[in-house]
Amino acid sequence: MSKYDMTGIGLNLREIPDDNGSLRLVVLGLILDGPAHSAGVRQGDELLSVNGIDIRGKSAFDVSSMLQGPKETFVTIKVKHDSCGPVESMKVQRQMAARTPIFYRLEKRDNENSSVGYIHIKEFNAVAKKDLVSGVLLH
């Protein structure tokens, strides 16, 4: 998931060759409740354009750069839902940083001098590894 880090709208792209040998970009992962997810982008959607520019044949790295920009500015994307679903254009507001998907807590065990640690990984994204290590080391 961290190959092309989360973009300014909270999605991760995967390059898939089509029948003609061109590259299609498909949404591999999303930050839950992030800008793209809230706008209606779903895992498996194909990205068709960014700000009116056709992105067919471009690399995931190049398109991720097109999606990034100053905090709270907007980018317009066009996606095709599923492989044969409708095409939808949406305006998405960029966000500065990915939200952490890692939640952890310590619970004191009854009648003992020890605690049990619980870690919940809501999703895997660019910040998951760093926050998981931080959670384990802090407790």
Side-chain angles (χ1 to χ4, degrees):
M1 287 294 290
S2 62
K3 183 176 180 186
Y4 292 113
D5 210 359
M6 292 295 166
T7 67
I9 61 171
L11 59 79
N12 189 287
L13 298 169
R14 178 179 181 196
E15 299 170 1
I16 298 179
D18 65 13
D19 296 337
N20 303 328
S22 270
L23 289 179
R24 296 182 317 123
L25 293 179
V26 174
V27 176
L28 177 63
L30 293 150
I31 294 177
L32 297 177
D33 300 322
H37 184 257
S38 297
V41 177
R42 297 293 174 252
Q43 187 170 347
D45 286 355
E46 180 182 355
L47 189 61
L48 302 174
S49 70
V50 175
N51 287 331
I53 299 170
D54 185 348
I55 55 96
R56 281 180 286 198
K58 294 190 183 298
S59 72
F61 182 80
D62 289 341
V63 174
S64 291
S65 297
M66 294 169 68
L67 292 168
Q68 293 175 352
K71 180 181 175 184
E72 297 179 4
T73 60
F74 288 87
V75 61
T76 302
I77 60 172
K78 189 182 287 186
V79 299
K80 180 165 68 169
H81 298 293
D82 299 317
S83 58
C84 56
V87 172
E88 184 178 357
S89 183
M90 49 190 77
K91 193 173 181 180
V92 183
Q93 188 174 25
R94 295 173 174 113
Q95 75 177 25
M96 187 70 155
R99 295 181 200 144
T100 183
I102 306 296
F103 302 92
Y104 47 86
R105 71 180 192 277
L106 278 177
E107 287 187 8
K108 184 125 173 90
R109 296 179 69 168
D110 292 336
N111 302 324
E112 293 186 33
N113 288 333
S114 63
S115 298
V116 175
Y118 294 92
I119 298 175
H120 177 208
I121 303 172
K122 189 173 179 182
E123 67 181 346
F124 291 97
N125 65 26
V127 297
K129 179 181 177 185
K130 174 183 70 67
D131 289 355
L132 178 61
V133 169
S134 295
V136 170
L137 294 178
L138 291 175
H139 292 86

